[in-house]
Amino acid sequence: MKTIDDLATEGVAGKRVFVRADLNVPMDGTIITDDGRIRAVAPTIAKLAGLGAKVIVASHLGRPKGAPDPAFSLAPAAERLGEILGRAVAFATDTVGESAASVVAGLADGQVAVLENLRFNAGETSKDDAERGAFADRLAELADLYVGDGFGAVHRKHASVYDLPKRLPHAAGDLIATEVGVLKKLTEDVKRPYTVVLGGAKVSDKLAVIDELLGKADRLLIGGGMAYTFLKAKGYEVGISLLQEDQIPTVTEYMERAAKNGVELVLPVDVLVSADFPDLKTKAPADFETVDADKIPSDKEGLDIGPKSRELFASKIVDAETVFWNGPVGVAEHPDYAGGTTAIAQALLDSTGFTVVGGGDSAAAVRNLGFDESKFGHISTGGGASLEYLEGKTLPGLAALED
């Protein structure tokens, strides 16, 4: 896999370099609530600009329906990128239309432009190879070289991720190179004990990675909404907590296999429960109680792991040589239910091992809860991509950069 340094040796000055970034940041209207992904890719963009390239940045944002939608415009992300880079960033109001052609044509060496949301074009996400390829052809007309650095999208077989690098000389950006290097530490010659913490709402989203990790991890800690399917499989009452009853047979088999393989599967021993889901908009004080995990009232919902669970989980993290964490273990958007997620983050900081925060909601939680990002071994920019890599899947965006 070529890198930017390889491109630099060959020379990029004066060339149009298409950078597939991941600027898919959470928004509140036009306000960016977490700019982590923009900050993560900024060094690659600055590096290319410093080498004299004409840098064309492209990304998706959200899930528009293949047509322009102002609610998903990348204009705020382009503005924020300019602030981070400390330089003017031009913005094209389309992706392959007149504005894009004009903006790219107007770039001088070392200048940067951002194209409008790639998903405003149906060809970007089309399952039809011809339609996707036709869109990639139009994108290729804008550039001389391709740099893939949108790790959060490499598990998608999309035009700008998979088809475009087949049409241009290509290389991996520094962010993708770093992400892949980190994931290899989680899959090849892993330092042990190896602890994996999985949270999030649905157990079905994590079944494949749990299946894979049952043969690789030493400890598997389960929190968040997905934990209640495990607790139900143990015969516990879970009240009105999140539950996927159809997954109970699979979860039961996983618990049996964990015991057989010597993998320590750790579930919450106490939880915070309430009859009312918290107000996430105003963050109004919640009405909750702490109960043992096998004593959840039938009319209440589990919304966070309890104090004893936090201590238990932390004890399985702090002495680990390798830790991977994906998914909050409670409704971390509300301060009354952020205690469990805070405890997990602090335990990663207290560990002397190699710690990885696996992107997505966990990465956002780390930043929103005020932790110093630099203290963690690595904070990934791609939750879904990280999980699929750990599952052993071939990621289209990485495969396209390999040849």
Side-chain angles (χ1 to χ4, degrees):
M1 186 184 292
K2 275 189 174 182
T3 66
I4 291 178
D5 293 335
D6 294 320
L7 292 183
T9 300
E10 298 167 6
V12 298
K15 293 185 178 179
R16 301 169 301 166
V17 180
F18 187 105
V19 177
R20 200 334 179 160
D22 180 8
L23 308 181
N24 184 32
V25 291
M27 307 277 291
D28 183 1
T30 59
I31 305 299
I32 296 170
T33 57
D34 178 8
D35 65 359
R37 284 176 169 164
I38 302 176
R39 287 186 287 108
V41 77
T44 290
I45 296 167
K47 186 174 186 177
L48 288 166
L51 292 169
K54 300 174 181 178
V55 186
I56 306 153
V57 183
S59 175
H60 69 286
L61 176 69
R63 297 178 182 271
K65 305 297 184 182
D69 183 340
F72 297 103
S73 174
L74 277 172
E79 182 179 355
R80 180 63 185 133
L81 177 62
E83 293 171 353
I84 293 168
L85 294 175
R87 66 169 70 210
V89 170
F91 181 67
T93 56
D94 57 28
T95 307
V96 289
E98 292 181 5
S99 178
S102 175
V103 167
V104 171
L107 288 176
D109 294 359
Q111 291 188 331
V112 179
V114 173
L115 306 181
E116 185 53 285
N117 195 333
L118 288 160
R119 291 186 183 174
F120 286 179
N121 305 268
E124 169 66 3
T125 60
S126 176
K127 295 190 184 327
D128 181 83
D129 291 349
E131 182 179 12
R132 215 175 51 246
F135 181 53
D137 287 338
R138 295 188 69 189
L139 290 172
E141 293 173 2
L142 296 172
D144 306 304
L145 302 170
Y146 175 94
V147 170
D149 216 29
F151 181 73
V154 293
H155 57 315
R156 306 296 188 191
K157 193 176 182 181
H158 291 170
S160 65
V161 176
Y162 177 76
D163 301 274
L164 183 55
K166 295 176 177 292
R167 288 159 168 76
L168 294 171
H170 50 264
D174 289 346
L175 176 59
I176 276 188
T178 297
E179 295 274 14
V180 171
V182 166
L183 288 169
K184 285 183 176 179
K185 290 185 179 181
L186 300 177
T187 53
E188 303 171 12
D189 300 320
V190 181
K191 292 185 178 180
R192 300 184 182 278
Y194 179 18
T195 294
V196 175
V197 187
L198 295 176
K202 295 182 179 179
V203 69
S204 56
D205 293 341
K206 306 283 169 66
L207 287 178
V209 73
I210 293 173
D211 184 57
E212 185 71 17
L213 289 169
L214 285 174
K216 294 182 177 178
D218 298 302
R219 302 163 181 162
L220 192 54
L221 282 50
I222 306 293
M226 61 185 289
Y228 299 101
T229 301
F230 281 85
L231 294 174
K232 186 70 172 180
K234 288 174 68 71
Y236 296 170
E237 168 66 58
V238 297
I240 57 173
S241 305
L242 282 173
L243 175 65
Q244 291 185 282
E245 289 201 57
D246 60 323
Q247 301 299 337
I248 289 177
T250 302
V251 163
T252 300
E253 190 272 325
Y254 283 177
M255 290 192 292
E256 292 171 350
R257 184 143 53 97
K260 181 180 178 181
N261 292 353
V263 176
E264 190 177 2
L265 197 154
V266 183
L267 299 174
V269 293
D270 62 344
V271 295
L272 272 58
V273 298
S274 176
D276 297 306
F277 194 80
D279 184 341
L280 299 181
K281 194 71 175 175
T282 66
K283 308 286 195 299
D287 180 19
F288 64 88
E289 63 175 318
T290 302
V291 300
D292 289 342
D294 61 350
K295 293 181 173 61
I296 298 175
S298 61
D299 62 344
K300 294 192 175 181
E301 177 179 12
L303 296 166
D304 194 11
I305 62 173
K308 291 185 289 187
S309 299
R310 297 169 195 175
E311 290 183 12
L312 174 63
F313 279 33
S315 72
K316 305 297 182 181
I317 293 171
V318 293
D319 67 341
E321 289 295 323
T322 304
V323 185
F324 174 74
W325 169 35
N326 180 276
V329 295
V331 185
E333 304 95 317
H334 192 284
D336 288 335
Y337 300 113
T341 300
T342 300
I344 299 299
Q346 185 60 53
L348 263 70
L349 291 181
D350 293 340
S351 170
T352 58
F354 180 62
T355 58
V356 179
V357 180
D361 291 338
S362 4
V366 163
R367 287 187 278 267
N368 292 337
L369 292 170
F371 286 94
D372 183 348
E373 297 176 65
S374 67
K375 302 298 184 183
F376 296 88
H378 179 70
I379 297 182
S380 179
T381 55
S386 295
L387 289 178
E388 291 198 15
Y389 190 101
L390 293 181
E391 290 166 20
K393 290 184 178 179
T394 297
L395 307 188
L398 296 184
L401 295 174
E402 286 286 356
D403 56 15

